[in-house]
Amino acid sequence: MFDGYNHIIPNCNRNPGTASRSHSSMAAELRTGIVAELEAASRFRTSQFFIAQRPWLDLYGVRVNPKAAFGSVSNNPLYDPALLHRVLPDELLHEIFVRMPPYYLGRASCVCRKWRYAIRNPVFWRNACLKAWQIFGVVDNYKLLHAKYESSWRKMWLLRPRLRTDGLYVSRNTYIHTGVAEWRVRNPVHLVCYYRYMRFFSSGKFLYKNSSEKVKDVAKVMTLRTSIKSDCVHRGQYSLTDDKVEAALLYPGMRPTVWRIRLRLRGTTAGANNRLDFVSLVTTGLNSMEANDEDMLGIVEGWEDDESHSDVPATSHKRGLSPFVFVPFEEVATSVLNLPVEKMDYYVPD
């Protein structure tokens, strides 16, 4: 192209008009060729980008007919327009589900029909049930499975009462405190807010904390490791019989005191287990030998509510017994229980 252009230059002196027209036509052809080459290169780079970075674009318009999912009563192949099932094989999907907590499995079952049938695999729910009720033993869990829940681990998970271990049970309590009369305020009152926190573990232990701190701050110290260094977090043991929870903990001090807590477990929906109602809260003194025993629940077993020990009489508490509300760990920062008294003076759980 450039050789032809140089060949025209000597002829420009002979006929200026013809040379000018030849020069303009060659320049136009040159610009047209460059633009065409640039467009071709741009299309090539774009096609490379689509192929390298977005491989799923090749699946658009392709019909996928997966096999019948686990638990399906039909042996015929199902038409499923979800292209994700072709990219994600069943083996990899099973490995993902087996590592998910049970409540995330419930959310994943709402994604599509195939996931719902796949999550009904009893392997997922068997692991969750044996971990949730490990204090009862494997043999007793299997016996109860066949006797009451028709050999369905999923039905056992939904219908059998259990204490959740993936969050905190929080009881928000308020009371009015009389203030000191100053200046023109003659009858000052203060609305005081405090919380009772309980975290349960599958091993039969639990942590208890009574504080005015918010949920998002207390969740950081409600662990077995950090509770050793904290003086305000107390350890105890609990037992679960149907929907009845009985717990006991040692409250240290000049005169050791044992707290006996009786609760009733319920849920707002099937399998939620997100409420704990107070049945009774009794404090009783202990002698030095009983205070050194780690099995506090075994010591108070069989005691009457008004039974006194040592020099501390038994006291049944009637105030500050608002129901416990379960707050998952992923919601501790956004829970309404973090609101101050100015925005939420009283909280009534359902």
Side-chain angles (χ1 to χ4, degrees):
M1 184 180 295
F2 289 96
D3 293 337
Y5 180 76
N6 293 331
H7 180 73
I8 295 174
I9 293 177
N11 296 331
C12 292
N13 296 328
R14 300 177 182 179
N15 193 348
T18 305
S20 177
R21 286 192 299 271
S22 302
H23 180 271
S24 60
S25 62
M26 290 300 297
E29 293 177 358
L30 181 61
R31 286 195 300 270
T32 304
I34 292 176
V35 171
E37 291 180 2
L38 290 176
E39 290 179 353
S42 177
R43 286 194 299 269
F44 179 72
R45 287 196 301 268
T46 304
S47 63
Q48 280 187 334
F49 172 76
F50 280 123
I51 295 174
Q53 302 295 332
R54 299 181 179 180
W56 57 86
L57 294 179
D58 296 336
L59 299 176
Y60 283 159
V62 180
R63 293 187 176 183
V64 181
N65 296 323
K67 298 180 181 179
F70 179 85
S72 177
V73 297
S74 175
N75 295 324
N76 298 326
L78 302 174
Y79 168 71
D80 197 335
L83 301 177
L84 179 65
H85 298 159
R86 181 176 179 179
V87 182
L88 195 63
D90 294 342
E91 295 80 7
L92 183 58
L93 196 63
H94 177 86
E95 294 297 328
I96 295 174
F97 288 157
V98 80
R99 289 168 173 80
M100 292 176 62
Y103 286 92
Y104 287 96
L105 286 176
R107 296 179 182 179
S109 63
C110 301
V111 173
C112 61
R113 183 178 300 175
K114 180 181 179 180
W115 284 22
R116 184 182 67 182
Y117 285 129
I119 289 174
R120 290 189 176 184
N121 191 328
V123 175
F124 306 141
W125 304 103
R126 180 191 62 190
N127 298 337
C129 291
L130 293 179
K131 182 178 180 181
W133 293 286
Q134 60 177 311
I135 58 177
F136 296 94
V138 178
V139 177
D140 292 341
N141 284 324
Y142 268 93
K143 290 180 179 179
L144 193 61
L145 172 72
H146 298 296
K148 294 184 62 175
Y149 302 103
E150 302 176 357
S151 303
S152 174
W153 292 104
R154 182 173 175 271
K155 184 178 292 187
M156 182 178 182
W157 177 264
L158 292 176
L159 300 181
R160 186 180 179 183
R162 72 187 178 283
L163 289 168
R164 296 181 59 173
T165 59
D166 57 331
L168 302 176
Y169 286 92
V170 186
S171 173
R172 186 180 188 271
N173 301 274
T174 55
Y175 67 91
I176 295 177
H177 178 69
T178 305
V180 179
E182 295 180 355
W183 297 94
R184 297 181 179 180
V185 181
R186 297 182 178 180
N187 299 315
V189 294
H190 303 282
L191 185 62
V192 183
C193 177
Y194 69 98
Y195 303 85
R196 300 183 189 271
Y197 297 98
M198 297 186 73
R199 181 185 178 183
F200 296 91
F201 297 89
S202 302
S203 59
K205 299 180 180 180
F206 77 96
L207 298 177
Y208 176 86
K209 182 178 177 63
N210 193 7
S211 174
S212 60
E213 300 179 16
K214 300 296 187 295
V215 184
K216 58 183 179 181
D217 300 323
V218 176
K220 304 175 183 177
V221 299
M222 294 293 285
T223 61
L224 292 175
R225 180 177 298 180
T226 57
S227 63
I228 301 177
K229 303 178 182 179
S230 179
D231 298 332
C232 300
V233 179
H234 308 286
R235 295 188 178 192
Q237 297 84 30
Y238 74 91
S239 63
L240 176 63
T241 305
D242 294 332
D243 61 343
K244 299 178 180 62
V245 182
E246 188 167 353
L249 62 91
L250 178 64
Y251 200 85
M254 295 296 294
R255 296 182 298 183
T257 306
V258 59
W259 285 42
R260 291 179 289 164
I261 307 173
R262 293 179 180 176
L263 305 164
R264 185 178 64 86
L265 180 64
R266 62 183 176 90
T268 54
T269 58
N273 297 292
N274 53 0
R275 297 291 186 270
L276 280 174
D277 297 324
F278 267 105
V279 177
S280 64
L281 174 60
V282 181
T283 56
T284 310
L286 292 175
N287 54 43
S288 58
M289 296 183 60
E290 293 174 338
N292 294 328
D293 197 335
E294 296 183 356
D295 187 13
M296 196 58 55
L297 188 62
I299 294 176
V300 302
E301 186 178 2
W303 285 12
E304 299 294 335
D305 290 344
D306 56 350
E307 185 174 349
S308 299
H309 290 258
S310 185
D311 55 346
V312 180
T315 304
S316 179
H317 300 269
K318 301 298 181 183
R319 296 182 179 180
L321 304 181
S322 298
F324 284 91
V325 177
F326 183 78
V327 181
F329 284 124
E330 60 267 18
E331 298 179 8
V332 293
T334 59
S335 176
V336 295
L337 296 174
N338 292 311
L339 294 176
V341 179
E342 295 80 11
K343 295 184 178 181
M344 187 174 63
D345 56 351
Y346 194 72
Y347 177 70
V348 181
D350 50 358

